[in-house]
Amino acid sequence: MGTAGPAHFPNFQYVIADPETRHAVVVDPAWDSESIVRRIQREGWSLQAVVLTHAHSDHVNGVAELVGLLPVPVYLSGDEAAFYGFDAPGMVHCRDGETLKAGSIEVGVMETPGHTVGSCCFLVGDALFAGDTLFPEGIGFTHFEGGSASDLYDSVRRLDHEISEDVRVYSGHRYRRGPGLTFAELRRLNIYFHLSSRKEFVEFANRRTVATSHDRLLTKTSTTVPDIQRLTWGDGVFLGA
């Protein structure tokens, strides 16, 4: 697990590794792909694939550099790629319900639209990589092009029904709590699991103060190239760990 990006709102990028085969998958490489490559090479891992939760720049701006150094397939929802016009070397469009084979690592695809048209969560063993669909404290913003609070209501309900309580959730950013909470813990903390109707969910997600606060973050991001922090590594995410 690595953190890089704007100092005020960095991204998590994840390397999932099988300790037996040394096969690895990268989730949402951004900002500092050279450091990801150095980590993979230092650990002796063999990169098998890149998977992208969605096409927002802060989750994909390191893809081309990474696969230029370590060529592998890049998986993104076909709906997401078509709507936002995103492409990359080695691009493969994945579908809801598909299981991606990345060497010895199996990646389950769950299309969870709402933050974007084709946002996906990826289930690998007992870990769910949720991108900006779901955070411990809330959900991804839905007021960007292609976002829909109503769609995200359906996606959160789906996760609630299909994800086991002991699965650990790894999001694309942090607010107060870091990634790695169990789904049971996240469900207890996250208000969106406790809103009783679609109407309540949509109205709460669309409240003006939320959209305004995130627009301020975007304004900062567009002008903070000197404030970009390089990748720092935390605990790794390993299959079977």
Side-chain angles (χ1 to χ4, degrees):
M1 179 176 68
T3 310
H8 61 281
F9 198 53
N11 291 70
F12 286 115
Q13 32 257 280
Y14 300 97
V15 182
I16 310 161
D18 183 333
E20 294 185 2
T21 65
R22 315 301 292 173
H23 292 164
V25 172
V26 171
V27 183
D28 287 358
W31 304 112
D32 191 8
S33 290
E34 288 185 1
S35 290
I36 298 175
V37 171
R38 285 196 298 271
R39 178 66 183 271
I40 289 170
Q41 293 174 335
R42 185 170 69 247
E43 299 291 345
W45 295 329
S46 173
L47 185 62
Q48 301 294 306
V50 170
V51 296
L52 305 177
T53 61
H54 62 294
H56 281 167
S57 176
D58 62 324
H59 291 257
V60 302
N61 62 32
V63 172
E65 181 180 20
L66 178 60
V67 298
L69 295 168
L70 297 174
V72 292
V74 176
Y75 294 96
L76 177 69
S77 156
D79 293 336
E80 184 83 352
F83 187 88
Y84 298 103
F86 182 79
D87 198 9
M91 176 66 71
V92 179
H93 296 159
C94 58
R95 302 181 305 278
D96 181 60
E98 186 176 6
T99 298
L100 309 177
K101 306 288 188 179
S104 61
I105 300 173
E106 294 190 349
V107 181
V109 180
M110 297 182 69
E111 198 158 349
T112 51
H115 177 62
T116 62
V117 164
S119 285
C120 284
C121 294
F122 296 108
L123 187 62
V124 184
D126 61 356
L128 183 74
F129 298 89
D132 289 359
T133 291
L134 194 61
F135 304 101
E137 301 87 352
I139 56 173
F141 295 101
T142 59
H143 65 289
F144 302 126
E145 182 185 14
S148 166
S150 183
D151 287 348
L152 196 46
Y153 171 84
D154 291 328
S155 294
V156 169
R157 297 283 82 75
R158 177 187 181 187
L159 292 170
D160 195 23
H161 287 116
E162 296 186 19
I163 300 301
S164 300
E165 289 193 341
D166 58 347
V167 166
R168 294 197 175 271
V169 181
Y170 297 91
S171 302
H173 304 276
R174 70 174 297 163
Y175 288 87
R176 286 174 298 167
R177 296 176 177 87
L181 294 179
T182 66
F183 195 77
E185 293 170 321
L186 187 147
R187 182 193 286 121
R188 177 175 57 83
L189 293 167
N190 190 319
I191 189 172
Y192 286 91
F193 287 93
H194 304 285
L195 298 174
S196 60
S197 69
R198 183 185 302 271
K199 181 175 183 293
E200 277 189 315
F201 187 105
V202 170
E203 288 178 351
F204 195 75
N206 287 342
R207 66 198 189 280
R208 182 175 176 78
T209 53
V210 171
T212 301
S213 66
H214 196 256
D215 287 340
R216 285 198 295 269
L217 283 177
L218 289 181
T219 300
K220 280 187 177 182
T221 301
S222 66
T223 59
T224 55
V225 174
D227 295 331
I228 298 301
Q229 60 186 40
R230 307 301 287 179
L231 197 62
T232 56
W233 291 99
D235 294 334
V237 178
F238 295 92
L239 290 179

